[in-house]
Amino acid sequence: MTTAVPPDFVYIQRAEKLIHALPTGTEFVNADIYAQMKKAGWPDMSEPRQFGPMLMRLRREGVIEKAGVRATTARSHGGVASVWRRTQMVKETS
């Protein structure tokens, strides 16, 4: 039996929920999020590079910050992967 592959936006929503659930200070790369999803039984995403815009939005919103880079075997990224750090969001009140 083959698992139905959900649309990409569903993957991105799930990945965003996982990132929001990370404790403040946790560092991660995209592959860590994919591994959590795979462990939970999600099938492979058709185009994993679509995480980029979501990560940039979370960065602008203050949910994550770039912590550096890490060597990777992924040829599509020239041998480096961005490392992200979960930050503490502070709600602004008016």
Side-chain angles (χ1 to χ4, degrees):
M1 183 171 156
T2 304
T3 304
V5 178
D8 289 343
F9 76 90
V10 175
Y11 275 92
I12 293 167
Q13 288 173 342
R14 176 64 181 149
E16 184 171 348
K17 285 181 183 178
L18 289 172
I19 291 168
H20 276 277
L22 293 172
T24 300
T26 301
E27 292 187 356
F28 65 94
V29 295
N30 287 359
D32 298 331
I33 302 301
Y34 292 126
Q36 287 183 29
M37 292 178 76
K38 195 163 189 94
K39 185 177 177 181
W42 284 70
D44 291 333
M45 184 176 184
S46 63
E47 181 51 72
R49 290 178 287 185
Q50 291 186 31
F51 272 23
M54 179 262 300
L55 292 169
M56 293 296 103
R57 181 176 47 76
L58 292 177
R59 182 179 175 186
R60 282 190 309 273
E61 293 172 355
V63 177
I64 60 175
E65 63 186 2
K66 190 165 183 178
V69 293
R70 182 184 302 166
T72 179
T73 57
R75 293 180 300 172
S76 64
H77 291 86
V80 296
S82 293
V83 178
W84 300 98
R85 180 181 303 117
R86 179 70 169 90
T87 59
Q88 184 175 359
M89 290 183 3
V90 178
K91 294 258 184 190
E92 292 185 20
T93 57
S94 302

